[in-house]
Amino acid sequence: MKIVLLNAATLPVYCPELAELLLDALHSGASIGYQRAISQQEAENAFSRLRNELETGERLIWIARDEQGVAGSVSLQFPMQPEALNRANIKLLLVHRRVRRTGIGKKLLAELEKTACMRQRGLLWLETPTGSAAEVFYRSQGYRCLGEIPDYLCSADGYYQPAAIYFKRLFAVNQFVRSIAS
């Protein structure tokens, strides 16, 4: 298993395989923002549209590759507003059904967290369907549930469901030290 960070030049090469990964997630019932079945081309376009964000540094995308191709992916989106330079949003962690529960999601998340630290983004957050297996996964990786938002995510069948909001603090931005008068 190899974890690869994509860039604007390599993204188009992997768009077909990323599309297959996305379709696999949809076919397994994942609630990832699509209200209907999508074609291979539509799925490829969903990833192609991210190229500009890769060029500007607003997003990073990692893939996990094995002998059969792309087995997983995850994305990290960086808010660029001055007041948000300490945080980043985890987007679309996907692992193909054929390799789920083999540690690929954990490896992708570890690489993402390492990079977030190097880029001084110490607060990570994400949303995931309430009650999903993803919640168990993120809790096992040290993420804490902040709460949930009703009717936030739309499943493939058009049903709106609540999203659980998770965060992880990789490091504290403000290190206040109180001096004690002697």
Side-chain angles (χ1 to χ4, degrees):
M1 179 64 49
K2 184 174 182 181
I3 306 295
V4 178
L5 178 62
L6 300 183
N7 59 42
T10 57
L11 177 65
V13 173
Y14 291 103
C15 278
E17 289 182 78
L18 286 164
E20 290 173 18
L21 182 64
L22 179 62
L23 292 172
D24 176 72
L26 288 170
H27 292 208
S28 67
S31 180
I32 51 179
Y34 292 90
Q35 295 181 354
R36 58 178 177 76
I38 61 172
S39 69
Q40 173 79 21
Q41 187 59 54
E42 288 172 308
E44 285 184 38
N45 291 344
F47 284 100
S48 293
R49 285 191 296 270
L50 301 176
R51 190 172 184 187
N52 186 53
E53 289 182 45
L54 291 176
E55 286 176 343
T56 61
E58 294 174 58
R59 183 182 298 258
L60 296 176
I61 300 173
W62 291 265
I63 59 170
R65 291 190 49 81
D66 64 10
E67 58 282 346
Q68 296 180 44
V70 173
S73 72
V74 69
S75 165
L76 187 61
Q77 188 176 38
F78 299 105
M80 301 309 251
Q81 303 91 337
E83 72 278 4
L85 298 178
N86 67 314
R87 61 185 178 258
N89 186 2
I90 298 172
K91 304 292 250 177
L92 212 57
L93 174 59
L94 301 172
V95 176
H96 198 282
R97 282 182 285 187
R98 68 179 162 77
V99 291
R100 285 193 187 144
R101 307 194 69 72
T102 62
I104 291 174
K106 186 185 256 188
K107 289 176 185 172
L108 284 164
L109 200 54
E111 190 66 29
L112 178 148
E113 290 177 0
K114 183 175 86 175
T115 302
C117 281
M118 290 183 337
R119 296 199 176 200
Q120 298 299 304
R121 301 293 179 128
L123 182 63
L124 302 179
W125 67 277
L126 61 101
E127 65 271 350
T128 194
T130 300
S132 68
E135 279 198 272
V136 175
F137 170 75
Y138 286 115
R139 280 195 305 268
S140 76
Q141 301 308 304
Y143 286 77
R144 295 176 53 193
C145 185
L146 182 62
E148 66 179 53
I149 302 173
D151 303 331
Y152 188 78
L153 297 172
C154 187
S155 64
D157 61 4
Y159 175 75
Y160 282 88
Q161 60 191 49
I165 307 302
Y166 279 82
F167 74 94
K168 185 174 185 179
R169 192 176 190 188
L170 302 176
F171 59 84
V173 175
N174 297 317
Q175 299 286 335
F176 292 109
V177 177
R178 283 190 181 174
S179 58
I180 300 174
S182 50

